[in-house]
Amino acid sequence: MTLYGWDASDYDVGRGLTVDRVRDAREAGISFMTYKGTEQSAAGVFHSQYYGVMLTAAKDAGIPFLGMYVVVHSQVIAEEQATTAIAYADEHTPWWREYDRFFWQIDLERWPTDDVPSTVGVAVARELTARTGRTAVMYASRGQYGSNELGDYPRWNANYPYQIAEDFKAAYARAGGDSGPGWVRYGRPEMMPRIWQFTDSAIIGRQHTCDADAFRGTETDFAEPGHRRRHLRREHSRHQRRVAVRY
């Protein structure tokens, strides 16, 4: 079974995102959604204007798994970035502390003005998980962080084999589905990604130009922290068997 997700931001509002379109997304088959909350750099703090409205709409629509994505930067200590994110979640989605399917998405990227080291993402993830008890998933693409230390956090890989405006399920099939190129081990320690962002051009319900994501498993698997470890052990065993056969 495959679950589909959507990570959105205020850019999507500029492209027409509304509360009704979030509801459409659930009806179309979206099972997890994150929305950008904060981005703190040496230049200051960005707070998403529509984070609370849209993530609450997703909750009301019945999307089971919800999270805030936090864009991390160097030159700001991890503790401060985590404090900013938690405070913003408390202010705009106060229900998150009682919602057991809430999680954090660490947005770790290399920017033209800030070549963010992987250690920054790991440090912010460590702070958020330690202080909230919630899972942190490391959005760090294999293309940018394939050989870097990413801790023992679930990976969220970004790899777009195609950029065609089409329904997200069709886009996933076109990209290769559950055997597509985004499902490849990377990082240190080497792991199979938990989530693959397979396009930035999907149509989700009535919303165009969306970042669409896939998870291989059921809702029970997604909710269960141990699923990732068992899945990775299975993938590692398969990898070892392939190596043994090859050599």
Side-chain angles (χ1 to χ4, degrees):
M1 182 175 183
T2 304
L3 302 183
Y4 295 96
W6 181 10
D7 50 308
S9 71
D10 286 356
Y11 285 112
D12 293 284
V13 175
R15 295 190 285 258
L17 181 61
T18 63
V19 168
D20 285 343
R21 290 191 176 188
V22 173
R23 188 178 302 113
D24 291 343
R26 176 54 179 162
E27 292 175 357
I30 293 297
S31 296
F32 60 97
M33 183 174 185
T34 62
Y35 200 95
K36 181 176 179 179
T38 59
E39 179 174 357
Q40 188 166 6
S41 68
V45 181
F46 168 84
H47 295 99
S48 170
Q49 183 177 353
Y50 295 98
Y51 159 77
V53 171
M54 295 305 174
L55 206 65
T56 299
K59 174 175 174 287
D60 293 343
I63 296 177
F65 303 99
L66 304 170
M68 174 198 281
Y69 82 75
V70 181
V71 180
V72 299
H73 283 276
S74 55
Q75 301 181 352
V76 180
I77 61 172
E79 293 85 351
E80 187 175 343
Q81 294 186 66
T83 295
T84 297
I86 294 169
Y88 200 65
D90 281 339
E91 181 179 359
H92 292 276
T93 50
W95 47 263
W96 78 268
R97 290 186 180 271
E98 306 301 322
Y99 193 80
D100 61 3
R101 293 180 167 189
F102 181 93
F103 64 98
W104 302 102
Q105 176 187 353
I106 307 300
D107 189 311
L108 176 62
E109 302 185 52
R110 299 191 186 278
W111 306 98
T113 57
D114 188 3
D115 188 18
V116 186
S118 64
T119 52
V120 172
V122 172
V124 175
R126 185 181 299 120
E127 281 292 317
L128 288 171
T129 55
R131 290 161 62 175
T132 68
R134 301 308 180 92
T135 297
V137 182
M138 190 70 67
Y139 177 95
S141 72
R142 179 174 179 264
Q144 292 191 341
Y145 294 96
S147 61
N148 292 104
E149 174 61 48
L150 294 172
D152 193 31
Y153 296 100
R155 311 278 193 262
W156 189 324
N157 189 20
N159 180 308
Y160 311 150
Y162 300 96
Q163 292 176 284
I164 298 173
E166 61 185 340
D167 177 79
F168 63 97
K169 292 180 182 178
Y172 186 57
R174 183 188 298 275
D178 287 352
S179 300
W183 300 117
V184 59
R185 299 166 62 87
Y186 70 97
R188 299 200 315 268
E190 191 177 76
M191 292 184 184
M192 184 68 68
R194 178 178 176 85
I195 296 169
W196 173 22
Q197 183 184 91
F198 54 89
T199 182
D200 63 355
S201 306
I203 301 171
I204 299 178
R206 289 179 289 156
Q207 185 74 17
H208 287 239
T209 322
C210 302
D211 292 341
D213 311 284
F215 168 84
R216 297 184 297 182
T218 65
E219 288 189 6
T220 300
D221 295 330
F222 198 104
E224 185 181 357
H227 167 72
R228 178 180 64 88
R229 289 186 288 273
R230 290 196 301 275
H231 175 71
L232 293 172
R233 284 198 295 270
R234 288 197 300 270
E235 292 290 346
H236 181 68
S237 296
R238 292 170 187 157
H239 175 71
Q240 291 295 87
R241 287 197 295 271
R242 287 196 297 271
V243 170
V245 169
R246 189 165 62 243
Y247 293 101

